[in-house]
Amino acid sequence: MSERTYWQRMRRRQMSRRSLLSASARAGVGAAGLALVGCGDDDDDDAPAVTTTQQAQQQEQQAAQQAADVEQQQQQAAAQQQAQQQAMQQQAAQQQQAQQQAARQQAMVGEKRYGGSIIEQSANVYETWDPQRTVASPVLQVLARVQSKLLRFENPNSGELTSDLAESWETPDATTIVLHLDPGITWHNSGPGASNPAAAAGRAFTTEDVAWNINRQRNKTLADGTETGDFGRSAYWGGLDQIDQADGSVTLTLSEPDATYLQGLANEFNLFNQPELVSANEDRHTEIDPARVIGTGPFILTRWDPGEGISAVRNPDFFGLPELPHLDSYVWVQSFQDPNAYRIAFEQKQVDSMTDPDPNTILAIHDDRQDETYLTYQGVANTVAIFTPSNKPPWNDLRLTRAIDLAVNRRQLIQQLHNGFGKVSGPVSWMQDAWAIPQADLETIPGYRIDKDADVEEARALWNAAGGPELGQIDWVTSELWASRAAWSATPGIIAEMFNRAFDTDQFNGITKPYLEVIPSWLAHDFDPFFSWIPNIEIPDARADMIGAFTTGAGSNYWDISDPYIDETLLAAKQELDYETALQMVRRVQDYVMERGQFGRSICYNYIFPAIRFNYNHPQLSSPEEGWNFLDTSLQALEQWIDPDDPSIEGRNPPPPTPL
Amino acid sequence: MQQYILRRLIGAVFVIFLTGTFMFFMLRLLPGDPAAASLGLDAGSISPEALEARNAELGLDQPAYQQYANWLWDTVRLDLGSPFSKRGVTVWYEIGRSLPYSIELSILIMIVGFSVAIPIGLLSAIYQDRWVDYVLRTLAILALAAPVFWTAAIATLAVLQWELFTIDVIAQPHFWEDPGAAFTWYLVPMFAGGFAGTAATMRLLRSQMLEVLRQDYVRTARAKGLRESLVITRHALRNALVPVLTVMGVTLATIIGSQVILENMFNIPGIGNKIISAFFGRDYPVVQALVLLIAVFVVVTNFVVDILYGIIDPRIRFS
C-alpha cells in the first residue's frame, strides 16, 4: 500500500526536501567547522630552531611572514566563516520558507479525510446496464465506481498500472500475461443488486469469473448461446489465444506478441460482471435497473433512475478498505439542460462542480467566487480530425492530401469553436502524453506552424500544382451530431471558408451527414472528406492507435495505407518491451507520417473544458490545474475526497444518497 | 349551438392532426442521429452494427411513410410508445410525471399575471393620462419588451448575488410535498412568466375599461348616485372583462411557450423541459406526443373560451 496515493508521495517528497535542506545545513556547518579547524591547525605548527643572525633574520622574516600569513588566514577564515554563516542563514531561511510553503499548502488542502458525499451532474441517457455491451462513456462513469477491472491506471497520463482485481501480475514474454487475483475479493453483499434472487451475493470472486467474462466477449455469445454483435470489446479479447486458470491465477496467452495488451486490461470498458446475475437478466439489458447490477467495486449502486437520479454508497466489504475509498457515497443528480439551472445548483452548493460548453460561464463564476472555488482544465478524449479520402482519386495525389493537411488552421478552429480552449494534436493526441509530439516541437512542423502564412503558401503551391482548382465543387462533411450543437452549428461553413481562403477559391462547400452514413463509409473505404470527432482513444499507449490507423490492412486504416517502413517500425514497436525504444519508434513514424500529409488522416486537436469546483472538493488531479487526460474514473472512485474543514463548505446541504 | 360545437370540434381535430403530421416530418428533416443520441453518444465511437441494431429496435429502419402510418394508428389508439432514451417505460408515464409540474407552474404564472394585470389595467384606465397611468404603461411596455429568459436570468443573478433565498433545482418538490421549498423554487419563474405573459392583458383591459367608462350605462350609474367603486367593479369591469377572457385563451398559449424556457432555466421537470431534452436527444416519440398534447390543450382551451364567451355575453349567438 506504500506509494499508493499522490498525498503519500507528496508527503514523502516534502520529507525528502526537508531532509535535503537539513543535510545541506549540516554540510554547511561541517564545512565551516573544517575550515576553522584547518586555520587552527596552521596556528599550532611549531617553527624550527635557528642559531645564526641570518637564520635569525630569516626566522624573523619567516615569523613576520608567518604572522602575516596567519593574519591573512585568520581573515580568510573569518570571511569563510561569515560566508558559511550567511549560507547557513540562507539555508535556514530557505528551509523555513519551504516549511512555511508546505504549511500553507497543508492549510489550503487540509488533511485527506474520509467520509462525505460528492454531488455531480449525471447524463440522462444510459443505453444499457451492461458495461461490456455499452459504447457510451456515461455508463462507465457510473459502473467504474461499482465494478472492477483486472488492473487500473494509477497514472492515466503515462499509463502506469496498479492492482485492482489482480493484486500482482507478470509478463514473462510478449505473449504471456499472468495475473494473480487478490484472494479477499467478494461480490457485493448488500443493495438492490445483491437482493436480486439471481445474484450470488457475497460470493468470492474467482478465476472462473474472469474466464466467463472474457469468453462471453471473445465468443460474442449470450448465456443462452445467442450470438450478438454488441460486445464492443470483442476484438480486444479476440486477441487472446488461451486462458488458463490455476491457484487463483489467470494466464492470458496472446495470439501474437503485443506489448500494449496489458494496458488494455485497465481500460474502463473492461469491467467485470457477475455471471449469475447477468445471465438471468441479459435479455433486458437496455432496461436500466440497479437490481440488475452487482460488482466488486468500492461502491454499491442503490439507485439508477436515468433523468432523475443515481446514487452509490460505499461497499462495506470492499477489498481496499480501510484506506480506500475516501468517500461515503456518490450522488448524481439529473442533468441540467440550461446553464442557468446548473449555475444556480453550483453557486448554491447543490452540486460540487460545474462544467459548461461555454468556458466564459465558468470563468465568470470563478471571478465572482475566487476565494472559495478553483478551476481545472480537462481535455476531451474525442479527437477532432480531418479525413481526406487519399485512397481514391483525386485525393490519391499526395500533393493534394498534403495541401489539405497544411491548410487546416488548427489553432484558428480551436479559437473559433472552443474559445481558445484546446491544444493541437499530431498523429498521436496530446492526451497520450508520453507518446505525443511535444507542443513546442509541433510549432515548427509544417501544418502546425505558428506562422500559418508559411503553411498556407506551401499548401496553395501544392494545390495548384496538383490541379486542385480543376476539381470543381468539393463537399466537406461535418457530422450532424457535431453541427446540431448550437455553438458549433456554423462549423460546415467555417471548414469550407477555411479551405476557400487558404486556396483562394470558392470550391469548398460545407455539408452535414449522420454518423450512421459516415461510419459505414469509412469501413467501406469509400468516404467523403470529413471533419468532426473520431473514435475515442482507448489507452494511454499510442502504439495500438497508430497500428490500427497506419499499418497495412489494419481495422482503422480507411485510407489503404501500405508502407513497408511504417509496417516494419510499428509492428516492431508493438512487440518492443523496452518503453523508451518503443517511444522512439513511434516518434519516428509520426515524423514520417507528418511529412506525407498524415496520409489523409489529419489529426487536428483535442479541446479542453474548464471545470470549476469548490475548495472543499478534491478529485485526483494530474497537477493543481489539470485533470487527468481520460480513463480516470476508477482512480477518482477511490481517491476523490471532501474536506469538511474547508471554509467553502459552509452552506452546503447535500441531498442524501438512497441508502443500502 | 350544437352545430357550432360540432363544427368547432371537427376543426379542432383537423388542427391537431395537421400539427402532429407537421411535427412528425419536421423532426425527420432535422440534422442529428436519433439512434446515436439514444445511446448517449457525442462522438463517432460506435460500430455501424450497433447503430443498425439500434435503428431496427427503434423502428427507424422503416421508410418514412411506414413510420408515419404506424405513428398515426398508434396515436389514434392512444398508444404513444416508449421514449427512445429510456427503455422499459412509456411516454404516458413520462407525461404523468411531468404534467403536474407544468400545471403547478402554469397556475402560479396565471395567478401572478392576472392578479397584477387586472389591478394595473384598472388603475391605468381610471387615472388615464396622469402620472400613475404613465408609470404603469411604461412598466407594461417594459414587461412586453423584455424577453422572459432575460427577466428570469436577471432575477436569478440578483438572488445569487445577494443570497436572497435557496432555489432548490435538485429536490424538485411539489407544493403538496414541501410548500416552502416549492414556493422558493417557483418564485422567480412565476414572476418572470407572469409579467411577460400578461402585459398584453393589462393593456387590453385598460383600453376596454376606457371604452366602457364612456358608455351611457356607466354615466347612468354615476347619475343615479352609485359609489364610484361600485360603478367600476359592478358595471365597468364586468363588461370590460368579456374580450379579455377571450385573450386569456391566447395568453395561455403564450404562457406555455414561456414555460418551455422557464422550466429549463430552473430545472423544473415539466412538459417544456421534457420537450427540450427530447428534442435535443432526437427522441421522436416524446417530442411528437408532447407537441400533440400541447396542441390539444391550446385547441381545447380556446374552444372552451369561445363557448364561455357566448355564455357570459348572451348577445353573442353561435351562428
Side-chain angles (χ1 to χ4, degrees):
Chain A
M1 295 299 289
S2 62
E3 288 285 328
R4 183 178 280 257
T5 69
Y6 168 82
W7 300 100
Q8 285 165 340
R9 289 198 300 277
M10 188 69 191
R11 275 198 292 275
R12 177 165 287 194
R13 276 205 291 273
Q14 284 170 351
M15 286 295 289
S16 299
R17 277 201 299 273
R18 282 193 206 107
S19 307
L20 188 69
L21 287 168
S22 307
S24 303
R26 280 197 297 273
V29 172
L34 276 175
L36 286 170
V37 169
C39 291
D41 196 41
D42 284 350
D43 279 344
D44 294 340
D45 279 348
D46 288 332
V50 284
T51 52
T52 62
T53 309
Q54 197 176 7
Q55 279 176 332
Q57 282 174 345
Q58 281 174 347
Q59 281 174 352
E60 277 175 16
Q61 282 172 357
Q62 279 175 351
Q65 184 64 40
Q66 273 182 348
D69 286 347
V70 167
E71 194 180 350
Q72 195 180 355
Q73 282 168 353
Q74 280 174 342
Q75 283 172 354
Q76 282 173 351
Q80 275 181 339
Q81 193 175 5
Q82 198 178 356
Q84 293 294 347
Q85 279 172 348
Q86 280 175 353
M88 283 169 63
Q89 282 169 357
Q90 201 176 348
Q91 283 165 351
Q94 281 174 353
Q95 191 176 8
Q96 196 180 356
Q97 201 178 356
Q99 283 170 347
Q100 283 172 351
Q101 195 176 346
R104 274 200 303 274
Q105 200 172 9
Q106 189 76 0
M108 189 176 74
V109 173
E111 285 293 336
K112 201 167 189 178
R113 298 293 194 90
Y114 292 87
S117 180
I118 282 284
I119 320 296
E120 288 177 349
Q121 184 189 232
S122 69
N124 276 348
V125 177
Y126 297 90
E127 94 277 24
T128 177
W129 46 260
D130 187 342
Q132 294 161 7
R133 299 171 79 177
T134 185
V135 288
S137 53
V139 174
L140 304 177
Q141 280 171 359
V142 174
L143 293 180
R145 288 168 166 98
V146 175
Q147 298 180 320
S148 315
K149 296 163 293 194
L150 287 168
L151 302 172
R152 66 179 177 85
F153 291 113
E154 183 166 54
N155 182 331
N157 283 1
S158 67
E160 189 185 333
L161 295 164
T162 189
S163 60
D164 204 3
L165 290 168
E167 64 178 356
S168 62
W169 66 94
E170 296 144 26
T171 48
D173 55 64
T175 56
T176 312
I177 300 169
V178 184
L179 299 143
H180 306 288
L181 299 189
D182 186 325
I185 300 172
T186 55
W187 293 96
H188 292 166
N189 202 17
S190 49
S195 305
N196 191 317
R203 176 173 69 72
F205 183 85
T206 63
T207 55
E208 281 81 13
D209 291 327
V210 176
W212 184 88
N213 275 276
I214 293 175
N215 284 329
R216 175 180 192 241
Q217 297 174 75
R218 197 161 63 136
N219 303 330
K220 303 182 202 174
T221 48
L222 303 178
D224 61 3
T226 315
E227 264 198 46
T228 177
D230 57 7
F231 285 112
R233 306 288 305 153
S234 58
Y236 172 77
W237 292 115
L240 285 182
D241 206 29
Q242 200 175 319
I243 307 167
D244 296 307
Q245 308 165 44
D247 301 331
S249 298
V250 177
T251 303
L252 306 177
T253 308
L254 310 186
S255 49
E256 59 182 48
D258 186 353
T260 70
Y261 204 87
L262 191 67
Q263 275 197 8
L265 299 176
N267 184 297
E268 303 288 7
F269 282 92
N270 287 333
L271 295 165
F272 278 67
N273 282 320
Q274 190 185 58
E276 296 91 329
L277 187 57
V278 169
S279 300
N281 289 284
E282 59 190 356
D283 56 333
R284 285 169 291 167
H285 78 102
T286 58
E287 293 173 23
I288 305 299
D289 184 351
R292 296 188 177 119
V293 178
I294 194 170
T296 51
F299 294 92
I300 295 173
L301 200 58
T302 53
R303 185 185 183 206
W304 195 355
D305 203 351
E308 292 174 35
I310 306 167
S311 62
V313 301
R314 188 209 288 248
N315 172 11
D317 303 316
F318 180 56
F319 58 90
L321 289 170
E323 287 90 353
L324 297 168
H326 293 292
L327 292 171
D328 284 336
S329 59
Y330 274 95
V331 176
W332 290 277
V333 298
Q334 66 278 32
S335 65
F336 304 104
Q337 295 177 86
D338 191 284
N340 189 69
Y342 206 172
R343 182 173 189 157
I344 293 169
F346 178 73
E347 291 209 45
Q348 296 199 335
K349 296 174 188 170
Q350 295 165 38
V351 290
D352 299 320
S353 61
M354 179 181 174
T355 58
D356 191 271
D358 179 5
N360 295 318
T361 307
I362 299 299
L363 300 179
I365 296 171
H366 181 61
D367 280 348
D368 286 349
R369 295 175 171 271
Q370 285 195 20
D371 292 343
E372 52 178 357
T373 61
Y374 65 100
L375 293 172
T376 57
Y377 298 90
Q378 182 82 41
V380 175
N382 298 328
T383 303
V384 180
I386 292 260
F387 279 4
T388 312
S390 60
N391 59 333
K392 63 178 183 182
W395 302 104
N396 55 355
D397 184 332
L398 193 64
R399 290 173 298 177
L400 288 177
T401 307
R402 184 157 162 75
I404 291 291
D405 187 55
L406 288 166
V408 178
N409 198 335
R410 295 162 169 88
R411 291 186 179 82
Q412 181 199 316
L413 291 174
I414 292 171
Q415 202 61 43
Q416 276 183 285
L417 297 170
H418 311 283
N419 291 281
F421 286 94
K423 285 196 256 184
V424 294
S425 288
V428 171
S429 162
W430 63 261
M431 299 188 70
Q432 288 164 306
D433 197 22
W435 300 83
I437 298 173
Q439 293 286 307
D441 290 6
L442 278 177
E443 287 176 5
T444 61
I445 294 175
Y448 293 81
R449 284 180 284 208
I450 296 288
D451 176 17
K452 197 62 199 169
D453 290 343
D455 279 348
V456 169
E457 194 181 332
E458 200 177 328
R460 197 176 291 180
L462 285 166
W463 180 257
N464 291 331
E470 285 80 51
L471 295 179
Q473 182 173 306
I474 298 162
D475 288 334
W476 210 277
V477 174
T478 299
S479 86
E480 278 188 357
L481 207 57
W482 176 290
S484 66
R485 292 197 170 181
W488 300 341
S489 56
T491 304
I494 288 173
I495 297 296
E497 177 61 19
M498 178 178 72
F499 288 130
N500 282 332
R501 188 169 291 182
F503 300 127
D504 191 23
T505 181
D506 58 359
Q507 293 170 273
F508 288 84
N509 178 47
I511 61 168
T512 61
K513 280 189 181 180
Y515 274 113
L516 192 62
E517 284 180 39
V518 170
I519 297 172
S521 72
W522 290 347
L523 293 175
H525 296 214
D526 183 17
F527 56 94
D528 296 321
F530 170 84
F531 168 85
S532 278
W533 297 290
I534 61 166
N536 284 357
I537 303 158
E538 294 209 343
I539 51 172
D541 191 323
R543 280 177 282 185
D545 298 327
M546 290 290 284
I547 289 164
F550 291 110
T551 54
T552 305
S556 304
N557 180 356
Y558 311 129
W559 304 265
D560 301 324
I561 303 161
S562 183
D563 187 300
Y565 172 74
I566 295 177
D567 288 350
E568 190 184 320
T569 314
L570 285 181
L571 293 176
K574 184 182 178 183
Q575 297 177 21
E576 180 57 61
L577 291 175
D578 182 66
Y579 193 69
E580 285 303 320
T581 310
L583 280 176
Q584 287 165 15
M585 288 170 159
V586 170
R587 174 63 199 262
R588 282 204 300 274
V589 174
Q590 287 193 78
D591 290 338
Y592 182 84
V593 159
M594 289 179 86
E595 285 165 13
R596 287 154 182 79
Q598 301 194 48
F599 290 99
R601 180 186 180 265
S602 297
I603 301 297
C604 296
Y605 59 85
N606 290 78
Y607 54 89
I608 292 170
F609 271 157
I612 186 168
R613 292 182 176 84
F614 283 103
N615 293 341
Y616 60 77
N617 179 4
H618 296 281
Q620 256 276 11
L621 300 171
S622 62
S623 75
E625 284 200 331
E626 275 188 63
W628 294 104
N629 54 0
F630 55 102
L631 301 167
D632 67 338
T633 317
S634 302
L635 186 69
Q636 301 299 357
L638 296 172
E639 299 285 357
Q640 190 167 14
W641 63 286
I642 280 182
D643 184 355
D645 298 326
D646 192 285
S648 67
I649 208 161
E650 196 186 326
R652 180 177 184 254
N653 187 19
T658 305
L660 276 173
Chain B
M1 175 76 170
Q2 281 174 343
Q3 267 195 344
Y4 174 82
I5 292 174
L6 190 68
R7 272 207 314 274
R8 289 298 308 268
L9 267 177
I10 292 168
V13 170
F14 187 63
V15 167
I16 291 165
F17 167 76
L18 277 184
T19 309
T21 302
F22 180 74
M23 183 50 63
F24 183 91
F25 287 106
M26 283 305 290
L27 272 176
R28 279 151 183 82
L29 288 176
L30 285 172
D33 190 333
S38 75
L39 294 171
L41 295 180
D42 62 357
S45 56
I46 181 169
S47 70
E49 293 83 8
L51 266 181
E52 270 177 35
R54 189 65 171 173
N55 268 291
E57 187 188 346
L58 301 178
L60 296 170
D61 56 340
Q62 297 170 342
Y65 70 86
Q66 183 69 51
Q67 290 181 42
Y68 176 68
N70 292 344
W71 169 77
L72 206 58
W73 176 237
D74 288 343
T75 306
V76 168
R77 293 184 296 127
L78 299 180
D79 176 3
L80 300 178
S82 289
F84 284 174
S85 57
K86 203 174 183 180
R87 311 311 286 169
V89 297
T90 63
V91 173
W92 279 116
Y93 167 82
E94 294 286 294
I95 291 173
R97 195 179 157 269
S98 304
L99 199 57
Y101 288 106
S102 291
I103 291 172
E104 277 175 87
L105 184 58
S106 301
I107 291 171
L108 288 169
I109 288 176
M110 287 177 71
I111 289 172
V112 169
F114 292 119
S115 61
V116 170
I118 291 172
I120 286 181
L122 264 179
L123 283 173
S124 198
I126 294 165
Y127 298 103
Q128 186 194 6
D129 295 335
R130 286 189 234 171
W131 69 267
V132 178
D133 182 28
Y134 290 131
V135 169
L136 293 176
R137 273 198 292 164
T138 307
L139 279 178
I141 289 167
L142 270 176
L144 269 177
V148 65
F149 65 84
W150 183 84
T151 317
I154 295 295
T156 303
L157 285 178
V159 171
L160 293 176
Q161 187 68 37
W162 293 308
E163 297 176 5
L164 299 176
F165 51 85
T166 301
I167 305 171
D168 193 342
V169 293
I170 289 176
Q172 301 176 330
H174 286 292
F175 257 99
W176 57 85
E177 292 166 347
D178 186 346
F183 180 73
T184 52
W185 180 32
Y186 283 126
L187 196 57
V188 174
M190 81 187 190
F191 274 100
F195 282 124
T198 54
T201 310
M202 173 256 156
R203 286 171 63 81
L204 179 68
L205 181 64
R206 177 182 178 274
S207 63
Q208 286 300 312
M209 279 294 290
L210 288 175
E211 194 182 323
V212 170
L213 284 170
R214 292 190 183 95
Q215 296 292 319
D216 288 346
Y217 61 86
V218 173
R219 195 176 302 119
T220 306
R222 282 178 176 145
K224 71 181 182 183
L226 270 184
R227 274 184 289 128
E228 187 63 14
S229 59
L230 281 178
V231 172
I232 298 290
T233 53
R234 193 174 294 174
H235 292 274
L237 181 61
R238 200 169 165 184
N239 286 290
L241 275 177
V242 174
V244 172
L245 191 68
T246 316
V247 173
M248 277 182 175
V250 182
T251 307
L252 209 60
T254 314
I255 288 173
I256 288 170
S258 62
Q259 255 186 254
V260 173
I261 296 165
L262 291 169
E263 284 180 7
N264 274 283
M265 287 183 76
F266 294 90
N267 207 33
I268 299 166
I271 297 292
N273 189 306
K274 199 64 80 183
I275 280 188
I276 294 289
S277 64
F279 190 80
F280 283 116
R282 301 294 183 265
D283 197 335
Y284 295 166
V286 176
V287 179
Q288 285 160 189
L290 294 182
V291 169
L292 213 58
L293 185 76
I294 291 172
V296 168
F297 181 70
V298 171
V299 166
V300 168
T301 307
N302 279 281
F303 180 65
V304 170
V305 165
D306 282 356
I307 304 294
L308 281 177
Y309 195 56
I311 293 168
I312 291 168
D313 186 350
R315 290 171 301 180
I316 295 168
R317 292 286 172 268
F318 297 102
S319 57

